[in-house]
Amino acid sequence: ETGVTQTPRHLVMGMTNKKSLKCEQHLGHNAMYWYKQSAKKPLELMFVYNFKEQTENNSVPSRFSPECPNSSHLFLHLHTLQPEDSALYLCASSPPRVGGEQYFGPGTRLTVT
Amino acid sequence: AQTVTQSQPEMSVQEAETVTLSCTYDTSESDYYLFWYKQPPSRQMILVIRQEAYKQQNATENRFSVNFQKAAKSFSLKISDSQLGDAAMYFCAYRSYSTSGTYKYIFGTGTRLKVLA
């Protein structure tokens, strides 16, 4: 366990559904990240938050909507997804200190039918 | 923009033997961090080892060590006395500082390591 939790661990949703992924950390980290992990592709950074403020949006389609109500919680709201959005969605957090590495959650395995 | 390349999609090693995983990167920065992460099947990604670019000494963590060649922009991971529990995906990552005040981590495509009993 790394101290970063994600729920749900598995999610199957239709293309017209609305669902949300949740990430939580109580490590005192300031930055939180959403990544998409697909087979045989590098981890794709989606969003970055620093002290609740979004600092990075890597041209992610608007059907993915992040929310960071505080430094400990991060959500990814999903709406009208496509089958190619099926992937493992990883949340990570990192501390502000120099040299600090990222701590990853276990991920949510998303299948869009 | 920085890039990270792992040219070995899959590697195999006999238990108790040594294996080296390769990673190269491209950057114009002089100060940065490099990491190796391990992702076991269906388990969380965890840090294996980190290297600060301004330190010439190669990092070591028990059976894990790196060969950091800054000029060549190479950062390989050596696993000694391989154990069955070392079987996993290994990701090389580069960290740069973003002007937005946070760090950006760029990952390679990963190397799947199989350990043979």
Side-chain angles (χ1 to χ4, degrees), chain A residues 42, chain B residues 1-7 22-27 33-36 73 75 91-95 105-110:
Chain B
Q2 295 85 10
T3 58
V4 176
T5 302
Q6 292 180 251
S7 59
S22 300
C23 173
T24 57
Y25 59 95
D26 190 27
T27 185
Y33 281 78
L34 295 163
F35 303 87
W36 278 99
K73 296 178 182 173
F75 181 60
F91 292 94
C92 178
Y94 172 100
R95 192 191 79 174
Y105 297 77
I106 298 129
F107 287 79
T109 50

Side-chain angles (χ1 to χ4, degrees), chain A residues 6-7 9-10 22 31 33 35 41-42 44 46 53 55-56 59 71-72 75-76 82 88 105 110:
Chain A
Q6 289 185 245
T7 53
R9 295 291 305 274
H10 300 271
K22 179 182 177 182
Y33 307 75
Y35 288 91
K41 293 177 70 174
E44 299 174 53
M46 301 175 72
E53 299 298 320
T55 57
E56 298 277 349
S59 304
S71 294
S72 299
F75 295 89
L76 188 63
Q82 304 297 311
L88 182 68
L110 173 67

Side-chain angles (χ1 to χ4, degrees), chain B:
Chain B
Q2 295 85 10
T3 58
V4 176
T5 302
Q6 292 180 251
S7 59
Q8 306 154 316
E10 193 170 292
M11 293 281 285
S12 296
V13 62
Q14 206 70 34
E15 198 175 3
E17 296 294 309
T18 297
V19 65
T20 298
L21 309 184
S22 300
C23 173
T24 57
Y25 59 95
D26 190 27
T27 185
S28 57
E29 297 176 332
S30 58
D31 192 16
Y32 48 87
Y33 281 78
L34 295 163
F35 303 87
W36 278 99
Y37 283 89
K38 169 185 177 182
Q39 187 179 37
S42 302
R43 294 183 65 186
Q44 284 169 263
M45 186 141 27
I46 57 173
L47 178 71
V48 174
I49 198 165
R50 92 186 82 199
Q51 175 78 42
E52 301 167 74
Y54 65 86
K55 286 190 175 179
Q56 293 187 333
Q57 187 173 7
N58 289 326
T60 60
E61 287 287 343
N62 300 314
R63 298 183 294 107
F64 298 88
S65 61
V66 299
N67 184 2
F68 174 50
Q69 302 289 327
K70 190 172 184 179
K73 296 178 182 173
S74 170
F75 181 60
S76 60
L77 175 69
K78 186 171 83 170
I79 305 174
S80 304
D81 185 25
S82 297
Q83 301 174 359
L84 295 177
D86 295 332
M89 281 290 286
Y90 286 82
F91 292 94
C92 178
Y94 172 100
R95 192 191 79 174
S96 66
Y97 186 73
S98 171
T99 54
S100 62
T102 55
Y103 295 106
K104 286 185 68 172
Y105 297 77
I106 298 129
F107 287 79
T109 50
T111 297
R112 181 172 302 283
L113 178 66
K114 295 183 176 180
V115 181
L116 309 173

Side-chain angles (χ1 to χ4, degrees), chain A:
Chain A
E1 288 292 328
T2 64
V4 180
T5 59
Q6 289 185 245
T7 53
R9 295 291 305 274
H10 300 271
L11 178 63
V12 179
M13 60 185 290
M15 292 169 60
T16 58
N17 290 160
K18 289 184 181 180
K19 296 286 184 183
S20 296
L21 310 184
K22 179 182 177 182
C23 175
E24 188 171 350
Q25 60 91 5
H26 294 286
L27 302 169
H29 293 172
N30 63 299
M32 297 189 77
Y33 307 75
W34 278 118
Y35 288 91
K36 176 183 179 182
Q37 185 177 25
S38 306
K40 300 181 181 178
K41 293 177 70 174
L43 263 68
E44 299 174 53
L45 178 65
M46 301 175 72
F47 303 102
V48 183
Y49 278 80
N50 185 29
F51 290 114
K52 305 189 301 177
E53 299 298 320
Q54 187 180 120
T55 57
E56 298 277 349
N57 177 339
N58 268 5
S59 304
V60 180
S62 60
R63 57 186 184 270
F64 295 92
S65 174
E67 179 189 0
C68 189
N70 54 60
S71 294
S72 299
H73 295 86
L74 183 65
F75 295 89
L76 188 63
H77 304 299
L78 315 173
H79 175 54
T80 59
L81 295 191
Q82 304 297 311
E84 60 265 29
D85 296 323
S86 299
L88 182 68
Y89 287 84
L90 293 172
C91 174
S93 68
S94 67
R97 70 175 185 274
V98 175
E101 76 272 18
Q102 286 185 309
Y103 292 69
F104 284 85
T108 295
R109 174 69 63 186
L110 173 67
T111 304
V112 181
T113 60

